[in-house]
Amino acid sequence: MIDYQAPLRDMRFVLYEVFNVADDWARWESLSELVDQETADAILEEGAKLVSKTLSPLYRTGDEQGCHWQDGKVSTPSGFKEAYQLYSEGGWTGLSGNPEYGGMGMPKSLGAQFDEMSCGANLALMLYPSLTSGAALAIDAHASEAIKSLYLPKMYSGEWAGTMCLTEPHSGTDLGIIRTKAIPEDDGSYSLTGTKIFITGGEHDLSDNIVHLVLAKLPGAPAGPKGISLFLVPKVLVNDDGSLTEPNSVSCGSIEHKMGIKGASTCVMNFDGAKGYLVGDLNKGLNCMFTMMNYERLFVGIQGLGSAERSYQNALAYAKDRLQGRAATGVAYPDKEADPLMVHGDIRRTLMNIKALNEGGRAFSTFVGQQLDKAKFGEAYEKQKAAGLVALLTPVAKAFFTDMGLECCVAGQQVLGGHGYIAEWGQEQLVRDVRITQIYEGTNGIQSLDLLGRKIAANEGAYFRLFADEVRVFIGNAENSEFAPALSKALDELEQATEALLKQTADDPNTINAACVEYLQGFAYVAYGWVWAQMAEVAKAQLDSGTDDQDFYQAKVTTARYFYKRQLPKGSALLKAAVSGAEELYGLSNEQF
Amino acid sequence: MIDYQAPLRDMRFVLYEVFNVADDWARWESLSELVDQETADAILEEGAKLVSKTLSPLYRTGDEQGCHWQDGKVSTPSGFKEAYQLYSEGGWTGLSGNPEYGGMGMPKSLGAQFDEMSCGANLALMLYPSLTSGAALAIDAHASEAIKSLYLPKMYSGEWAGTMCLTEPHSGTDLGIIRTKAIPEDDGSYSLTGTKIFITGGEHDLSDNIVHLVLAKLPGAPAGPKGISLFLVPKVLVNDDGSLTEPNSVSCGSIEHKMGIKGASTCVMNFDGAKGYLVGDLNKGLNCMFTMMNYERLFVGIQGLGSAERSYQNALAYAKDRLQGRAATGVAYPDKEADPLMVHGDIRRTLMNIKALNEGGRAFSTFVGQQLDKAKFGEAYEKQKAAGLVALLTPVAKAFFTDMGLECCVAGQQVLGGHGYIAEWGQEQLVRDVRITQIYEGTNGIQSLDLLGRKIAANEGAYFRLFADEVRVFIGNAENSEFAPALSKALDELEQATEALLKQTADDPNTINAACVEYLQGFAYVAYGWVWAQMAEVAKAQLDSGTDDQDFYQAKVTTARYFYKRQLPKGSALLKAAVSGAEELYGLSNEQF
């Protein structure tokens, strides 16, 4: 398996040429002091070095060795500790962290690029520091000043890692029925007892301490989701000066044997009267979680994107190298025993599929990152709209990037034929690893329900119209674009499907659940159509102006055309399926299934 | 993971009610003495017992333990030897074998059902005897009488296993460039030298001997595929009375570490002046292989189908049991902490998707099996058409069953959420195991090329018209069917796409390669639409006649409607993509990728 290389040229293209994020940064006072294009480029280049030299080489060995549990301790694969150390020392855990507590305060549009490259290089290893960043985000937003100043600097520096402890054996998606109990103590802390499962990084040997964020219920708390509170439970208790004292009553009972991400420990965590500290208000624990959810969900989506990019790089290298068969148009390399795979139309189609999905996904993730930045750093007039777009588009990004992540890893594997199925080439690991991204942080079914139920039906399409208006404005401005007619038609279909579903759901409450997955995918194809048209228009302008980089921009235009011919039509079929009603789904009794 | 249960009711439905295969059997003299519906039912029931009691329980342990290589010997997982013994003693290896040499001579329409259930129960284990059956088929068709009478009885009884040795390190799909050499010896045998890779069952501890069928070239043989010959190379040399003598110069150099089917040994085989016997004519080795290809390819397709059925059973059991969330229409089980997953529309949609694809696939595989039987046992008037349909539809079955096999295993895994990703529930193994079926026995890209290039373009659509006429006749006979208009439209689209591609390919030789994968999938959706309409019409007739089994037939009609609403539209989008030309695929230089 070749080592991963960050697609820096393409990242700069979407950041600065398509979405002009540097102009935003310059406009916003709180950001303009921290970052400009030059700084951001330096960060991207440093990041690219780190991921290709430090993270990527541990990709396969991490899978081969996996994690090991013994007597409650978990050891990570060899090399992980040193890589984690370098990562931490580079400040990457705090890349988007609050500067008041030692974070670098970088915008998400930039962070999204680093997320993509680091997850593309080594997903399993990246889960440890990224869970820390996520936990830090929730602490920064909701914890007391005392907790923040005690915990955040150590988390941003990677000295202490973080986890999210939500799932219990009987309760995954349905957090309302969790059983972990929190009993108030006289000193203002809480005593937590219960079992959490599927806890990524719940125990490991990478950091001095692990800070668990745990959902639990007080005795007598309201039933369901409204009785859930959030607690910070350190693995080792902490003095006020930040020094470590004695171990807390937290233990790792075992780790899971999984399909992939074997370098990441997935732990059963037992809390046995463990000391914990309330984060946020009592019974508002789910709200605290939601704060970080848009970031985390976009991040998980980007894991799919990074994996797909690695699949592309690996499959492309193989297709250029492997000799097999002859070109349909006649022998291309008469001096060789056979032509390279690249001469074959189906191999090129497979690679173009991945390329079009990856570059479309990268543009879309950058757009969503930009909206997160607008919602956080922007002026009053832009905040609200951006927040609406973030709410709407985050589930699309999470589900579609990861669905396409699997599709692209499987497609890349297919290019390698039998060699894709054996461990040696790394391609089968990509498939096993990326598969989790469709499941965790809310399955893609749950993302789709969130999109159609909470983000569209619940506000009668208000967020949806924000998006549709953006696309309409683009079409209006680009009316001579070769892509405008097809994009306009695709948007019409999406609008009609959305309206139809809003009507259907008034009559049949099962509509949303029955329609949502295909609706989300149909939506995503339209959204990709939009970003592809934007990229193509930027590229055409460059070509018209006689750019030196003809190859790059011409490839953009050609790939956009490919997307419109080959991929956009899938959206139509999906939307047609989505509006077909729930009747047949409930036409069978459980026994007839 | 629950144990696999063969879907016997549904198998009988497609065999006897939809395709009336028992009428064929009664018509054909050579078959009428061997099998009727009663015998076939007894075989299916015995088979169902074997697979659920003997093969299925070894499914997970086979994966956990895998195969082990030491000093050239390969040990299979515990229990495999005993299961292989029971399987052999039951005569299953020779189920379709030639009765003259001890085979049971059963038709493929019946064999296809057993293939599905046995591969659904334990794909890795099934590869050993099924490779034997495949090798026996080639021997029966092409070897000398002496070889046949010496080898076939021992292979049908499972005492000796078989393999197919095609791939070499530098040559997979492109067999024309193989390097294994065969030197004629004075005694009429050949001395074979070379290395073969990816040899399933190349070495193991299940049988007394292993019979390798090896592709090799004589010195001075024509270049490319026309210089390939086929040889039988036993692991242990055999006396004329069938007793074993000394080991041949064949050794297993190592086994591969693979994504799945870990219970099946995948071997590097070294032939070092090994004694071999010619099978068929010199330089006609590929033709001998093609004899068995339609059987093998249908069989590999059915592996995908069997895996998908197991995924369905596993996911359905979980969805009925797991409590999570509440129904969109209100609390369904107030006495429980939450409702079972089955109340949720998206879970039902996922299961309906799998159900519709599996039952459609089962019907289609039975139809193809029936055509194989017609081509083999039938009267003169029906043979030729059946052979044309087999040639046309086999690549569709192989590729589409296995593509949908992965899709359905992934979908089933998604129903289990996080539990689908850990080894405990077996669902992740299904995904890993089924993935190989899209790759081996000709990748699905190669199947698609075969369909559009060799089976359609090469005869200017003659085979295609056989198929289209069958569908048209059905539509004509079922003009009042609720499915006729949509099926007719789908067939129109398929015919138009086929014509368009035949025209395009005259101008651009890259057309076929560029279009074939999406074309095959679009074709398959139409074919499934056809078999679903047939099943629905049979079911409606039963419902009209007041059958006692209302639940079964009503579920058929509802599932047919589901297929037409939700899945058939995908075919349109795929065909649209297929006819979009090769221009963009060749619009980028290799460096621009």
Side-chain angles (χ1 to χ4, degrees):
Chain A
M1 177 171 222
I2 60 165
D3 269 332
Y4 170 90
Q5 301 298 329
L8 287 178
R9 174 70 185 89
D10 206 52
M11 290 175 168
R12 284 196 290 261
F13 173 69
V14 288
L15 282 172
Y16 310 128
E17 299 180 56
V18 181
F19 297 113
N20 305 304
V21 297
D23 296 351
D24 291 342
W25 304 343
R27 279 197 294 125
W28 301 328
E29 206 185 323
S30 59
L31 262 189
S32 60
E33 295 167 9
L34 289 173
V35 65
D36 58 14
Q37 184 168 337
E38 198 181 338
T39 315
D41 277 347
I43 290 174
L44 288 176
E45 271 163 39
E46 274 307 303
K49 274 185 220 159
L50 177 82
V51 306
S52 68
K53 291 189 184 163
T54 305
L55 304 186
S56 174
L58 298 172
Y59 181 72
R60 272 204 62 210
T61 51
D63 182 69
E64 283 164 1
Q65 296 178 22
C67 290
H68 293 280
W69 180 97
Q70 195 169 16
D71 303 330
K73 302 279 176 208
V74 171
S75 53
T76 56
S78 61
F80 271 39
K81 191 157 188 167
E82 295 74 14
Y84 179 88
Q85 196 75 22
L86 276 174
Y87 186 99
S88 301
E89 286 165 4
W92 297 102
T93 312
L95 186 66
S96 301
N98 186 344
E100 285 177 49
Y101 304 99
M104 283 169 66
M106 288 298 123
K108 189 67 190 173
S109 51
L110 179 63
Q113 316 304 324
F114 180 68
D115 290 344
E116 189 199 319
M117 62 173 88
S118 55
C119 292
N122 198 325
L123 178 55
L125 175 46
M126 269 305 293
L127 291 180
Y128 299 103
S130 65
L131 260 293
T132 309
S133 303
L137 192 72
I139 292 169
D140 185 38
H142 298 287
S144 65
E145 177 57 35
I147 289 182
K148 288 201 272 191
S149 52
L150 191 55
Y151 286 89
L152 287 179
K154 299 274 193 187
M155 293 176 79
Y156 290 148
S157 71
E159 289 165 87
W160 299 351
T163 78
M164 312 296 313
C165 300
L166 285 68
T167 302
E168 300 184 4
H170 69 294
S171 119
T173 296
D174 188 356
L175 290 169
I177 56 176
I178 59 168
R179 293 178 191 151
T180 298
K181 284 279 160 234
I183 314 281
E185 296 287 321
D186 292 343
D187 65 354
S189 73
Y190 292 80
S191 167
L192 275 88
T193 301
T195 297
K196 297 287 182 177
I197 64 168
F198 298 164
I199 307 308
T200 304
E203 176 58 28
H204 55 71
D205 54 6
L206 302 175
S207 62
D208 300 334
N209 202 0
I210 301 176
V211 180
H212 304 288
L213 289 186
V214 185
L215 290 184
K217 289 188 161 192
L218 261 66
K226 289 178 181 164
I228 299 175
S229 303
L230 181 66
F231 299 90
L232 184 157
V233 182
K235 172 183 167 186
V236 186
L237 294 170
V238 178
N239 287 320
D240 289 347
D241 65 356
S243 61
L244 299 178
T245 63
E246 63 195 52
N248 204 347
S249 300
V250 180
S251 61
C252 173
S254 64
I255 60 174
E256 305 289 349
H257 298 280
K258 312 186 297 291
M259 184 180 195
I261 51 164
K262 297 191 179 193
S265 61
T266 303
C267 304
V268 175
M269 298 303 297
N270 298 314
F271 298 87
D272 189 16
K275 189 183 271 289
Y277 309 96
L278 185 68
V279 173
D281 293 333
L282 269 181
N283 299 331
K284 301 283 184 195
L286 275 192
N287 292 22
C288 300
M289 284 296 183
F290 280 126
T291 300
M292 52 173 294
M293 199 111 24
N294 285 332
Y295 286 90
E296 281 299 308
R297 290 190 164 176
L298 179 60
F299 173 64
V300 171
I302 290 172
Q303 296 174 12
L305 195 55
S307 304
E309 173 63 30
R310 184 163 208 173
S311 170
Y312 179 75
Q313 294 183 13
N314 211 33
L316 179 61
Y318 187 87
K320 287 182 177 177
D321 186 58
R322 174 81 170 173
L323 307 178
Q324 208 77 176
R326 291 296 189 183
T329 46
V331 173
Y333 295 79
D335 55 323
K336 292 186 173 165
E337 195 172 24
D339 291 336
L341 291 182
M342 281 300 280
V343 302
H344 302 303
D346 183 52
I347 297 291
R348 297 177 85 87
R349 182 194 63 84
T350 304
L351 291 168
M352 282 296 276
N353 258 346
I354 308 178
K355 184 178 170 68
L357 289 169
N358 287 359
E359 294 177 12
R362 186 170 300 126
F364 190 64
S365 101
T366 304
F367 177 77
V368 178
Q370 183 179 35
Q371 301 311 308
L372 276 164
D373 292 335
K374 283 188 180 175
K376 181 174 174 184
F377 302 105
E379 307 296 330
Y381 74 91
E382 60 192 342
K383 267 181 191 286
Q384 199 182 352
K385 180 178 162 195
L389 285 171
V390 164
L392 181 79
L393 300 179
T394 298
V396 178
K398 192 279 182 183
F400 198 68
F401 291 173
T402 59
D403 282 349
M404 294 306 104
L406 180 70
E407 186 169 314
C408 293
C409 290
V410 166
Q413 186 183 27
Q414 197 72 12
V415 169
L416 276 76
H419 296 276
Y421 196 69
I422 60 176
E424 189 179 343
W425 295 83
Q427 199 70 34
E428 61 89 30
Q429 184 190 339
L430 278 173
V431 176
R432 289 186 289 105
D433 283 0
V434 78
R435 182 67 184 92
I436 189 59
T437 64
Q438 300 173 288
I439 296 172
Y440 62 16
E441 196 60 29
T443 66
N444 288 358
I446 293 296
Q447 304 298 326
S448 308
L449 266 179
D450 181 47
L451 172 69
L452 189 54
R454 248 189 290 187
K455 305 299 175 52
I456 295 184
N459 58 37
E460 285 162 6
Y463 291 165
F464 176 79
R465 281 191 296 276
L466 291 177
F467 170 75
D469 287 350
E470 286 275 310
V471 182
R472 282 262 174 261
V473 167
F474 170 79
I475 295 170
N477 291 340
E479 56 186 344
N480 295 323
S481 163
E482 66 181 278
F483 304 104
L487 179 59
S488 186
K489 178 170 165 284
L491 182 62
D492 289 347
E493 288 173 356
L494 180 62
E495 284 178 324
Q496 286 154 13
T498 309
E499 270 171 49
L501 289 170
L502 288 174
K503 272 186 203 141
Q504 282 178 28
T505 198
D507 297 330
D508 181 357
N510 285 318
T511 301
I512 289 173
N513 215 311
C516 60
V517 165
E518 280 141 338
Y519 176 80
L520 182 146
Q521 294 197 340
F523 187 120
Y525 279 109
V526 180
Y528 275 39
W530 174 49
V531 293
W532 262 116
Q534 291 179 68
M535 289 194 283
E537 293 310 311
V538 170
K540 282 184 173 183
Q542 285 290 331
L543 292 169
D544 289 346
S545 73
T547 170
D548 287 341
D549 203 355
Q550 290 275 329
D551 273 5
F552 179 82
Y553 294 106
Q554 187 257 320
K556 279 284 172 224
V557 176
T558 301
T559 310
R561 288 180 185 143
Y562 177 87
F563 180 86
Y564 269 77
K565 276 191 185 176
R566 293 255 181 177
Q567 298 182 318
L568 191 57
K570 292 185 188 174
S572 282
L574 287 158
L575 292 173
K576 207 174 284 181
V579 298
S580 67
E583 189 184 338
E584 283 75 23
L585 299 181
Y586 291 89
L588 302 188
S589 68
N590 286 0
E591 293 66 37
Q592 281 176 299
F593 266 89
Chain B
M1 175 171 223
I2 60 165
D3 269 333
Y4 170 87
Q5 300 299 327
L8 288 178
R9 175 70 186 91
D10 205 52
M11 289 175 169
R12 283 196 290 261
F13 172 69
V14 289
L15 282 173
Y16 310 127
E17 299 180 56
V18 181
F19 297 114
N20 306 305
V21 297
D23 296 350
D24 290 342
W25 302 344
R27 279 196 295 124
W28 300 329
E29 206 184 323
S30 58
L31 262 189
S32 60
E33 295 167 9
L34 289 173
V35 65
D36 57 12
Q37 184 167 336
E38 199 182 338
T39 315
D41 277 347
I43 290 173
L44 288 177
E45 271 164 37
E46 273 308 302
K49 273 185 220 158
L50 177 81
V51 307
S52 68
K53 289 189 185 162
T54 305
L55 303 187
S56 173
L58 297 172
Y59 182 73
R60 272 204 64 211
T61 51
D63 182 69
E64 283 164 359
Q65 295 178 20
C67 290
H68 294 279
W69 181 97
Q70 194 167 19
D71 301 330
K73 303 280 177 209
V74 172
S75 52
T76 55
S78 61
F80 271 38
K81 192 158 188 165
E82 294 74 14
Y84 179 87
Q85 197 75 22
L86 275 174
Y87 185 98
S88 301
E89 286 166 4
W92 296 102
T93 312
L95 185 67
S96 302
N98 186 344
E100 285 178 49
Y101 303 98
M104 284 169 67
M106 288 298 122
K108 191 65 190 175
S109 52
L110 180 62
Q113 316 305 324
F114 180 68
D115 289 345
E116 189 200 319
M117 62 173 87
S118 55
C119 292
N122 198 325
L123 177 56
L125 175 46
M126 269 305 295
L127 292 180
Y128 298 103
S130 66
L131 259 294
T132 309
S133 303
L137 191 72
I139 292 169
D140 185 39
H142 298 287
S144 66
E145 176 57 35
I147 288 183
K148 287 202 273 190
S149 53
L150 191 56
Y151 286 89
L152 286 180
K154 299 275 193 188
M155 293 175 79
Y156 290 148
S157 70
E159 287 166 88
W160 299 351
T163 78
M164 312 296 313
C165 300
L166 284 68
T167 302
E168 301 185 3
H170 69 295
S171 121
T173 296
D174 188 356
L175 290 169
I177 57 176
I178 60 167
R179 294 178 189 149
T180 298
K181 282 279 161 236
I183 314 281
E185 297 288 323
D186 293 343
D187 64 355
S189 72
Y190 292 81
S191 166
L192 275 88
T193 300
T195 297
K196 297 286 182 178
I197 64 168
F198 297 163
I199 308 308
T200 304
E203 175 59 28
H204 55 72
D205 54 7
L206 302 176
S207 62
D208 300 335
N209 202 0
I210 301 176
V211 179
H212 303 289
L213 289 186
V214 185
L215 292 183
K217 289 187 161 193
L218 262 65
K226 289 176 183 165
I228 299 175
S229 304
L230 181 65
F231 299 89
L232 183 157
V233 183
K235 172 184 168 183
V236 185
L237 295 168
V238 177
N239 288 320
D240 290 346
D241 65 356
S243 60
L244 299 177
T245 63
E246 64 197 52
N248 204 348
S249 300
V250 180
S251 62
C252 173
S254 63
I255 58 174
E256 305 290 350
H257 297 280
K258 311 186 297 291
M259 184 182 196
I261 53 165
K262 296 191 179 192
S265 61
T266 303
C267 304
V268 176
M269 297 303 297
N270 297 314
F271 298 87
D272 189 17
K275 189 183 270 290
Y277 309 95
L278 184 68
V279 173
D281 294 333
L282 271 180
N283 299 332
K284 301 284 185 193
L286 275 192
N287 294 18
C288 301
M289 283 297 182
F290 279 126
T291 301
M292 53 174 291
M293 200 113 20
N294 286 330
Y295 286 89
E296 281 298 307
R297 289 188 165 177
L298 178 60
F299 173 65
V300 172
I302 290 173
Q303 297 173 14
L305 195 54
S307 304
E309 172 64 30
R310 184 163 209 173
S311 171
Y312 179 74
Q313 294 183 12
N314 210 33
L316 179 61
Y318 187 87
K320 287 182 176 176
D321 186 58
R322 173 81 170 175
L323 306 179
Q324 207 79 176
R326 291 297 189 182
T329 46
V331 173
Y333 294 80
D335 54 324
K336 293 185 172 166
E337 196 173 24
D339 290 336
L341 290 182
M342 281 300 280
V343 302
H344 302 303
D346 183 52
I347 297 292
R348 297 178 85 87
R349 182 195 63 82
T350 304
L351 292 168
M352 282 297 276
N353 258 345
I354 308 178
K355 183 177 170 68
L357 290 168
N358 287 359
E359 294 178 13
R362 187 170 299 126
F364 189 63
S365 103
T366 304
F367 177 78
V368 178
Q370 183 180 35
Q371 302 309 310
L372 276 164
D373 292 335
K374 283 189 180 175
K376 181 175 176 184
F377 302 106
E379 308 295 334
Y381 74 90
E382 60 193 342
K383 267 182 192 288
Q384 199 182 353
K385 179 178 161 194
L389 286 170
V390 164
L392 182 78
L393 300 179
T394 298
V396 179
K398 192 281 183 182
F400 198 67
F401 291 173
T402 59
D403 282 349
M404 294 306 104
L406 180 70
E407 187 169 313
C408 292
C409 289
V410 167
Q413 186 182 28
Q414 198 71 12
V415 170
L416 276 76
H419 296 276
Y421 196 70
I422 61 175
E424 189 179 343
W425 295 82
Q427 198 71 33
E428 61 90 30
Q429 184 190 339
L430 278 172
V431 175
R432 289 187 290 105
D433 283 0
V434 78
R435 182 68 184 90
I436 188 60
T437 64
Q438 300 173 288
I439 297 172
Y440 62 17
E441 196 61 29
T443 66
N444 287 357
I446 293 296
Q447 303 299 327
S448 308
L449 266 180
D450 181 47
L451 172 70
L452 189 54
R454 250 191 288 188
K455 305 299 175 51
I456 295 185
N459 58 37
E460 284 162 5
Y463 291 166
F464 176 79
R465 280 190 297 275
L466 292 177
F467 170 75
D469 288 350
E470 287 273 312
V471 182
R472 282 263 173 260
V473 167
F474 169 80
I475 294 170
N477 292 338
E479 55 185 346
N480 294 323
S481 163
E482 65 182 278
F483 303 103
L487 180 58
S488 186
K489 177 169 166 285
L491 182 62
D492 289 346
E493 288 173 355
L494 180 62
E495 284 179 325
Q496 286 155 13
T498 309
E499 271 172 46
L501 289 171
L502 288 174
K503 272 187 203 140
Q504 282 179 28
T505 197
D507 296 330
D508 181 357
N510 285 318
T511 300
I512 289 174
N513 215 310
C516 60
V517 165
E518 280 141 337
Y519 176 80
L520 182 145
Q521 294 198 340
F523 187 120
Y525 278 109
V526 179
Y528 275 39
W530 174 48
V531 294
W532 262 117
Q534 291 179 68
M535 290 194 282
E537 292 310 310
V538 170
K540 281 183 173 182
Q542 285 290 332
L543 291 169
D544 289 347
S545 73
T547 170
D548 286 342
D549 202 356
Q550 291 275 328
D551 272 5
F552 179 82
Y553 294 107
Q554 188 257 320
K556 280 283 172 226
V557 177
T558 301
T559 311
R561 287 179 186 144
Y562 177 87
F563 180 85
Y564 270 77
K565 276 191 183 174
R566 293 255 180 177
Q567 298 180 318
L568 192 57
K570 291 184 188 176
S572 282
L574 288 158
L575 292 172
K576 208 174 286 182
V579 298
S580 66
E583 189 185 337
E584 283 75 23
L585 299 181
Y586 291 89
L588 301 189
S589 68
N590 286 359
E591 292 66 38
Q592 281 176 298
F593 266 88

